[in-house]
Amino acid sequence: MGDTTAAAATRPRTDVFDVLIRPRRSLVRSTALSIVFSAVPLAVALLWVSFPFRLWALVAAVVLALAVVVGIAFVRLGTAYIGIDSRGVVIHGVVTTNQRVPRERVHHLVLATTFGHSADRTTRELVAFDADGAHLFRMRADVWGDAGIDRVAEALGVQVTEEPRPIAWRVFAKRYPTSRAWYEYTSAFLVVGSVAVLVVVGLLAVETAGLAGS
């Protein structure tokens, strides 16, 4: 997504860019509520049940590491934006790197509606390419909203190709393979799954050792 890393920034003033898009407010709100009402009680429960088995130190370390990851993600969500001015497009994503794309590089856009396992749950996507067909950046309506996608397409004023009907996400990924984010590759799922398995196995091993020694 782009070639040049943009400087880190907090919330920019609205007069810095001609067009400024932020993540949907409902997404930020639902994320905060999920942390407060789901993640926090779960962390407390894990610590509580770990005390009898003398696992509290290990569980606390795991909970702290997860809390740091969740905190970073929430801060990124709160400071994320897409800004467009006469020079280019600045993307401060949530789970992707910050980028600046020169405006003259944006040659054409692709608009598509994709769905995953269920065709009833669709989301719009915008993908930008340069004149050689190289991928520049991508927007999803579940993060930036349908209105945000429309504003970016209108502001850039380049050729727009729109898929005539909803397509499966796998078809979309095969048609535009370079538009995949790092977390959408199979290798990313394998790494996350392997870490989760190692954590569970470690907890079970420590618990078994603790019961055997008691």
Side-chain angles (χ1 to χ4, degrees):
M1 291 173 56
D3 298 319
T4 308
T5 301
T10 55
R11 298 178 70 87
R13 301 193 316 271
T14 56
D15 59 347
V16 172
F17 298 101
D18 300 324
V19 174
L20 183 65
I21 311 295
R22 297 192 186 280
R24 296 184 301 115
R25 290 184 179 181
S26 59
L27 177 63
V28 178
R29 183 170 57 251
S30 62
T31 302
L33 292 175
S34 297
I35 293 173
V36 173
F37 293 106
S38 298
V40 173
L42 179 60
V44 172
L46 287 174
L47 286 172
W48 181 263
V49 300
S50 68
F51 277 105
F53 302 105
R54 292 175 293 182
L55 292 173
W56 67 270
L58 178 61
V59 174
V62 173
V63 169
L64 180 60
L66 292 176
V68 170
V69 173
V70 171
I72 292 174
F74 187 72
V75 170
R76 292 278 296 184
L77 180 61
T79 58
Y81 68 87
I82 295 178
I84 301 175
D85 57 22
S86 58
R87 293 175 299 174
V89 183
V90 177
I91 303 104
H92 277 222
V94 180
V95 293
T96 55
T97 56
N98 299 336
Q99 297 141 30
R100 177 185 293 275
V101 180
R103 188 155 182 165
E104 61 271 14
R105 284 203 62 195
V106 183
H107 180 264
H108 65 278
L109 308 174
V110 171
L111 291 177
T113 300
T114 62
F115 60 88
H117 297 294
S118 174
D120 296 330
R121 301 185 62 180
T122 61
T123 185
R124 292 179 70 205
E125 309 234 13
L126 178 150
V127 187
F129 298 93
D130 65 11
D132 297 324
H135 171 261
L136 299 176
F137 65 90
R138 172 183 168 194
M139 295 175 62
R140 288 176 56 90
D142 52 2
V143 176
W144 303 102
D146 289 322
I149 286 180
D150 292 335
R151 289 181 63 193
V152 169
E154 181 181 359
L156 291 175
V158 296
Q159 175 188 345
V160 177
T161 301
E162 189 163 2
E163 295 289 342
R165 59 180 61 87
I167 58 176
W169 180 85
R170 292 184 180 276
V171 175
F172 179 83
K174 289 181 179 179
R175 193 170 298 176
Y176 309 104
T178 56
S179 66
R180 284 189 179 188
W182 63 266
Y183 54 85
E184 293 176 321
Y185 285 92
T186 304
S187 57
F189 288 103
L190 292 177
V191 170
V192 173
S194 299
V195 171
V197 169
L198 289 175
V199 170
V200 172
V201 171
L203 290 174
L204 291 176
V206 174
E207 181 178 344
T208 303
L211 288 174
S214 59

